[in-house]
Amino acid sequence: AGSSCGGRCFGPNGVHGLPSPSWYAIAAAAPFFHLCIFVPLPLLLLVFVMRVQDLWAVTVAPPTVHGAEPEISLDLFRPNFFTLLQQRASGDLYLLPLVEGVLYEWVAVCIATLVRLLLYYADVDEKACPPMARYLIRGVRYAYSALFTLHIWLYCSLAMMVCCWVVLAAALDPTRFLAFGTAILTTVSAVAWWTSAMMRAARRFRAWVRTALDRMLHTRVRLPPP
């Protein structure tokens, strides 16, 4: 009986209609791991830009910027976190525009990911929904696709900017940054070479398949070769 209920039974004999504990575990683990795929990457980007904020705040930042004190990462671990939020809302703490933009983007991506996963695991039947709800679900999907595309573009742009600065730093201070700059240039060159080689192989394979199909077609229909 346990094998005939598709894993939705309790006990050795099975109680039909009730999911088994393993089914509950899988149903809880799938959204968790799905969420872990999308949330940690924005978090890593946030950690990186906060490091940029810290370096700027303790090195070249003036004591006050437009009447606000430069914020550092240690401010996040204050005993009263709501005081930090009030100071940020009132303009007493200053964040670089890049850091502030990445922070808002991270919050937007996390909220949008939660909403998108909620719709995905709710498994809503669009055909049974009213037209307005159907358009709303599709709008959420398209909006999340656009937001995630923008998020990936932001990641790639920031990575390219960091790589350019590392290569420039290798020319200015070879002792500290030459190894990093050489590794970046080697990686970019290897990726470009492999991409070009794979494209050439794909073109040759496509030409070979087209020639083979043409020969087979001429053989089947008994046409003279071109």
Side-chain angles (χ1 to χ4, degrees), residues 26-103:
I26 295 175
F32 175 75
F33 287 110
H34 203 168
L35 186 65
C36 289
I37 295 175
F38 294 97
V39 173
L41 288 179
L43 185 60
L44 291 176
L45 179 62
L46 183 62
V47 170
F48 174 78
V49 296
M50 284 305 299
R51 177 59 177 167
V52 174
Q53 172 74 19
D54 289 342
L55 291 176
W56 173 79
V58 300
T59 54
V60 298
T64 57
V65 181
H66 304 294
E69 179 183 355
E71 184 177 350
I72 59 177
S73 299
L74 293 178
D75 293 332
L76 299 175
F77 300 97
R78 291 184 179 182
N80 192 347
F81 185 74
F82 294 99
T83 303
L84 172 64
L85 296 180
Q86 293 176 358
Q87 290 180 345
R88 183 175 293 173
S90 60
D92 295 335
L93 294 176
Y94 181 80
L95 285 174
L96 290 172
L98 174 63
V99 179
E100 192 170 6
V102 171
L103 175 62

Side-chain angles (χ1 to χ4, degrees), residues 13-221:
N13 297 324
V15 179
H16 291 276
L18 295 177
S20 63
S22 60
W23 184 87
Y24 280 113
I26 295 175
F32 175 75
F33 287 110
H34 203 168
L35 186 65
C36 289
I37 295 175
F38 294 97
V39 173
L41 288 179
L43 185 60
L44 291 176
L45 179 62
L46 183 62
V47 170
F48 174 78
V49 296
M50 284 305 299
R51 177 59 177 167
V52 174
Q53 172 74 19
D54 289 342
L55 291 176
W56 173 79
V58 300
T59 54
V60 298
T64 57
V65 181
H66 304 294
E69 179 183 355
E71 184 177 350
I72 59 177
S73 299
L74 293 178
D75 293 332
L76 299 175
F77 300 97
R78 291 184 179 182
N80 192 347
F81 185 74
F82 294 99
T83 303
L84 172 64
L85 296 180
Q86 293 176 358
Q87 290 180 345
R88 183 175 293 173
S90 60
D92 295 335
L93 294 176
Y94 181 80
L95 285 174
L96 290 172
L98 174 63
V99 179
E100 192 170 6
V102 171
L103 175 62
Y104 292 150
E105 193 267 348
W106 175 72
V107 174
V109 168
C110 291
I111 295 176
T113 301
L114 291 176
V115 174
R116 182 66 182 90
L117 289 180
L118 179 63
L119 288 177
Y120 176 78
Y121 285 101
D123 197 14
V124 180
D125 187 7
E126 294 187 18
K127 297 181 180 179
C129 295
M132 185 61 66
R134 192 180 309 138
Y135 295 147
L136 180 61
I137 293 174
R138 293 179 181 177
V140 170
R141 291 178 178 174
Y142 293 148
Y144 183 76
S145 299
L147 180 62
F148 194 75
T149 302
L150 177 64
H151 179 67
I152 296 298
W153 177 83
L154 179 63
Y155 258 92
C156 295
S157 300
L158 185 59
M160 292 301 297
M161 182 179 66
V162 172
C163 291
C164 292
W165 278 109
V166 171
V167 172
L168 178 61
L172 298 177
D173 191 357
T175 305
R176 295 179 57 186
F177 297 101
L178 182 59
F180 300 102
T182 305
I184 291 174
L185 292 178
T186 303
T187 303
V188 173
S189 301
V191 170
W193 185 86
W194 277 107
T195 302
S196 178
M198 294 299 292
M199 293 298 295
R200 290 195 300 269
R203 287 193 293 268
R204 289 196 298 266
F205 179 75
R206 183 172 56 186
W208 177 82
V209 170
R210 180 175 299 176
T211 303
L213 290 177
D214 289 340
R215 291 178 180 176
M216 183 183 300
L217 179 62
H218 287 297
T219 302
R220 294 291 184 180
V221 298

